[in-house]
């Protein structure tokens, strides 16, 4: 009887030890799995941030926009020419280094290729299309809503003589008007020629901050 009691006691001790080892192993496995999940979440967040940076770097620093759909369509009363292509553009502010190593910001740049009788006007970020429409005259040659204007292209003058046009050696009717944008925002661009604006000759320039470059 004493031997049986001793054996039973020994078996109980072994069983408790085995159970404790198993529980400890499970707790250790759960702890490791928790670390794995944490590491995976951290990796996912890192990949998300890295992907966001890559998406931003894929945004161009400059863009070329057709302001008028080609000289072959630039005929009086022909609405085929009265378009800005594309009508939505996104560009990015970038950085550069000078020869002395100093880092500087480079404005996002949009080059408008003007084909035909058009006049580029860019409004400050925040100016809405409705605001310009509400202040445009019902008739006349130009819109001329000269409030919160960011920049203007060369004045093409008044047809047919165009005597009041801006002096521009590269030509006023057919030229490139380049604008730099140093502040992020959404900028409205219109053709200031009233009939062109009325037929939908406007576009948006979306400027994003490239500070994370």
């Amino acid at each position: 009887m004493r031997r049986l009691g001793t054996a039973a006691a020994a078996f109980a001790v072994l069983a408790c030890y085995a159970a404790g080892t198993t529980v400890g192993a499970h707790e250790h496995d759960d702890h490791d799995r928790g670390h794995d999940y944490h590491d995976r979440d951290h990796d996912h967040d890192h990949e998300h941030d890295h992907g966001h940076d890559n998406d931003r770097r894929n945004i161009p620093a400059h863009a070329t926009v057709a302001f008028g759909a080609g000289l072959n369509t630039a005929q009086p009363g022909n609405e085929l020419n009265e378009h800005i292509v594309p009508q939505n553009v996104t560009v990015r502010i970038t950085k550069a280094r000078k020869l002395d190593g100093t880092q500087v910001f480079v404005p996002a740049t949009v080059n408008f290729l003007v084909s035909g009788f058009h006049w580029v006007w860019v409004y400050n970020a925040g100016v809405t299309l409705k605001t310009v429409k509400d202040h445009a005259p019902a008739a006349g040659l130009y819109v001329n809503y000269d409030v919160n204007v960011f920049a203007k292209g060369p004045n093409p003058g008044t047809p047919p003589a165009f005597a009041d046009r801006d002096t521009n050696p590269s030509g006023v009717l057919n030229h490139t008007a380049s604008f730099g944008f140093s502040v992020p925002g959404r900028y409205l661009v219109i053709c200031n020629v009233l009939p062109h604006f009325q037929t939908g000759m406007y576009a948006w320039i979306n400027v994003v901050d490239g500070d994370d470059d």
Side-chain angles (χ1 to χ4, degrees):
M1 292 293 293
R2 186 176 298 173
R3 289 180 181 177
L4 287 175
T6 303
F11 180 78
V13 170
L14 289 173
C16 289
Y17 175 77
T21 303
T22 304
V23 170
H26 282 306
E27 290 176 349
H28 185 69
D29 289 343
D30 291 341
H31 182 69
D32 288 344
R33 279 197 293 270
H35 274 298
D36 290 342
Y37 292 140
H38 175 75
D39 291 342
R40 282 199 292 271
D41 290 342
H42 178 74
D43 291 343
H44 179 267
D45 291 341
H46 180 72
E47 288 173 1
H48 176 76
D49 293 340
H50 185 65
H52 178 72
D53 291 341
N54 283 339
D55 289 344
R56 180 165 291 189
R57 290 191 183 98
N58 287 334
I59 297 174
H62 62 90
T64 299
V65 176
F67 206 87
L71 291 178
N72 60 312
T73 61
Q75 303 171 30
N78 189 348
E79 295 181 7
L80 291 176
N81 182 260
E82 297 160 13
H83 300 283
I84 302 175
V85 184
Q87 201 169 23
N88 241 303
V89 178
T90 301
V91 284
R92 177 172 57 100
I93 300 168
T94 55
K95 294 178 182 177
R97 289 194 181 277
K98 298 164 66 175
L99 289 178
D100 62 3
T102 304
Q103 191 175 68
V104 295
F105 284 95
V106 180
T109 306
V110 178
N111 304 308
F112 294 98
L113 303 182
V114 181
S115 300
F117 176 60
H118 302 296
W119 191 356
V120 182
W121 280 40
V122 184
Y123 288 93
N124 286 320
V127 175
T128 66
L129 181 62
K130 183 179 185 304
T131 298
V132 180
K133 285 174 60 179
D134 289 348
H135 288 86
L141 182 60
Y142 292 125
V143 176
N144 281 349
Y145 177 59
D146 207 353
V147 179
N148 285 323
V149 175
F150 175 75
K152 302 176 185 178
N155 180 357
T158 305
F162 303 101
D164 55 338
R165 70 183 183 276
D166 286 342
T167 301
N168 188 326
S170 66
V172 174
L173 293 187
N174 306 300
H175 64 278
T176 300
S178 296
F179 299 106
F181 299 83
S182 300
V183 178
R186 184 170 169 83
Y187 296 78
L188 173 65
V189 185
I190 72 165
C191 180
N192 190 49
V193 178
L194 179 61
H196 299 179
F197 176 66
Q198 290 172 333
T199 57
M201 196 167 178
Y202 69 91
W204 294 99
I205 305 299
N206 306 293
V207 180
V208 300
D209 193 355
D211 194 38
D212 294 337
D213 289 348

